[in-house]
């Protein structure tokens, strides 16, 4: 008698799942990806963490076409067990965290249009795959992100959820790391955005030493350039932060 295979996803998150029809991407879609890729990689070769650069190569990001998540996931699975899961858009924080806890990263499959390359308020596949996925190929960061998801999904109060959101924002989204004496970018918001990436390393941004207490006390505004960012010395600091929570 056939049985129904249980879904690996939290039940609350199933309503947000979709599929990626890679063949449906238009020429304009691929051109938008190509323009974004070329512009960001020109800067990132000197400003991004080596972990991002190595990860982008490891997961096979191509300069001329929107990535096929099946191919990305095949490469990620062999390295860290993570996968990019197509979703329709923003997930509520608790649902998002629960997905991270099982090494599933909610990923929007639409791409911004060529006349809106600089900024879009909603996530798209350039932010979610180009910005996030290369770090998921790095075992230490992949482990941190899963443990973060486990801890965040277990948050009991709205105050705890807010603290976890701040930790995510100032690490996974807008994190900086010191490599060989130089500050480099690794957070996806900095990786995927020309303006944010340049601002983070410029004189108008205050770069502070990473401490857990400072990060969870620091508010942020989503649609503005960040006035304050935090620099880790290594990803081991992020493990220490999770252990303290």
């Amino acid at each position: 008698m056939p049985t129904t295979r249980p879904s690996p996803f939290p039940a609350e998150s199933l309503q947000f799942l979709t599929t990626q029809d890679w063949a449906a991407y238009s020429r304009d879609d691929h051109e938008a990806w190509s323009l974004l890729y070329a512009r960001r990689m020109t800067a990132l070769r000197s400003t991004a963490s080596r972990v991002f650069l190595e990860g982008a190569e490891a997961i096979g990001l191509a300069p001329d076409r929107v990535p096929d998540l099946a191919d990305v996931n095949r490469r990620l699975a062999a390295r860290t067990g993570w996968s990019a899961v197509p979703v329709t858009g923003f997930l509520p924080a608790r649902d998002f965290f629960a997905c991270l806890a099982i090494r599933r990263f909610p990923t929007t499959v639409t791409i911004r249009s060529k006349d809106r390359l600089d900024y879009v308020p909603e996530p798209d596949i350039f932010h979610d795959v180009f910005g996030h996925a290369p770090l998921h190929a790095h075992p230490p960061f992949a482990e941190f992100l899963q443990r973060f998801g486990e801890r965040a999904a277990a948050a009991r109060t709205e105050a705890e959820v807010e603290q976890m959101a701040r930790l995510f924002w100032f690490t996974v989204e807008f994190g900086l790391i010191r490599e060989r004496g130089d500050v480099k970018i690794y957070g996806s918001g900095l990786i995927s955005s020309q303006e944010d990436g340049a601002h983070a390393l410029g004189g108008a941004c205050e770069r502070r030493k990473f401490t857990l207490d400072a990060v969870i006390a620091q508010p942020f505004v989503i649609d503005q350039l960040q006035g304050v960012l935090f620099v880790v010395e290594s990803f081991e600091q992020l493990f220490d932060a999770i252990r303290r929570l």
Side-chain angles (χ1 to χ4, degrees):
M1 179 177 180
T3 58
T4 301
R5 186 176 182 180
S7 169
F9 301 100
E12 298 83 358
S13 304
L14 294 176
Q15 62 181 306
F16 301 103
L17 296 181
T18 187
T19 57
Q20 183 194 36
D21 183 0
W22 192 86
Y25 288 112
S26 67
R27 176 179 297 178
D28 282 349
D29 292 333
H30 292 297
E31 288 182 359
W33 174 275
S34 298
L35 291 168
L36 288 163
Y37 183 102
R39 184 170 64 174
R40 288 308 292 135
M41 274 302 188
T42 297
L44 291 171
R45 289 188 181 95
S46 61
T47 60
S49 166
R50 61 174 179 79
V51 171
F52 165 79
L53 296 172
E54 292 169 358
E57 182 177 355
I59 66 173
L61 292 185
D64 59 347
R65 60 186 180 277
V66 176
D68 185 334
L69 294 188
D71 181 57
V72 171
N73 289 340
R74 176 179 58 80
R75 295 167 184 262
L76 279 174
R79 296 176 68 90
T80 62
W82 273 87
S83 63
V85 178
V87 295
T88 55
F90 282 116
L91 270 66
R94 291 183 183 275
D95 295 329
F96 180 80
F97 295 151
C99 289
L100 299 185
I102 56 172
R103 300 202 174 203
R104 302 294 187 269
F105 193 86
T107 301
T108 311
V109 293
T110 55
I111 188 164
R112 69 196 76 177
S113 62
K114 289 192 294 183
D115 60 354
R116 299 178 66 203
L117 294 180
D118 289 327
Y119 175 75
V120 287
E122 66 278 359
D124 74 342
I125 196 169
F126 188 77
H127 174 81
D128 284 346
V129 175
F130 184 90
H132 281 285
L135 272 292
H136 302 168
H138 183 60
F141 187 87
E143 184 71 17
F144 155 72
L145 191 58
Q146 180 186 15
R147 293 189 184 188
F148 171 90
E150 291 171 346
R151 177 62 185 85
R156 294 182 295 275
T157 67
E158 290 305 312
E160 289 180 343
V161 171
E162 178 63 24
Q163 289 181 344
M164 299 306 295
R166 290 174 177 178
L167 180 57
F168 188 87
W169 185 259
F170 288 111
T171 58
V172 179
E173 288 286 351
F174 283 87
L176 300 169
I177 189 169
R178 194 178 307 279
E179 293 179 349
R180 300 179 180 177
D182 295 324
V183 175
K184 302 288 187 177
I185 64 178
Y186 73 87
S188 63
L190 305 178
I191 291 291
S192 62
S193 168
Q194 187 88 343
E195 185 178 17
D196 285 292
H199 174 78
L201 300 178
C205 180
E206 181 182 353
R207 293 175 289 278
R208 298 177 182 173
K209 180 179 179 179
F210 176 94
T211 69
L212 177 61
D213 291 341
V215 167
I216 64 176
Q218 181 67 38
F220 62 88
V221 179
I222 292 177
D223 58 353
Q224 296 179 11
L225 292 172
Q226 306 302 303
V228 174
L229 294 176
F230 296 89
V231 184
V232 297
E233 299 298 322
S234 71
F235 289 128
E236 281 68 25
Q237 279 189 274
L238 302 183
F239 282 113
D240 292 339
I242 289 296
R243 283 194 287 267
R244 285 188 53 198
L245 286 171

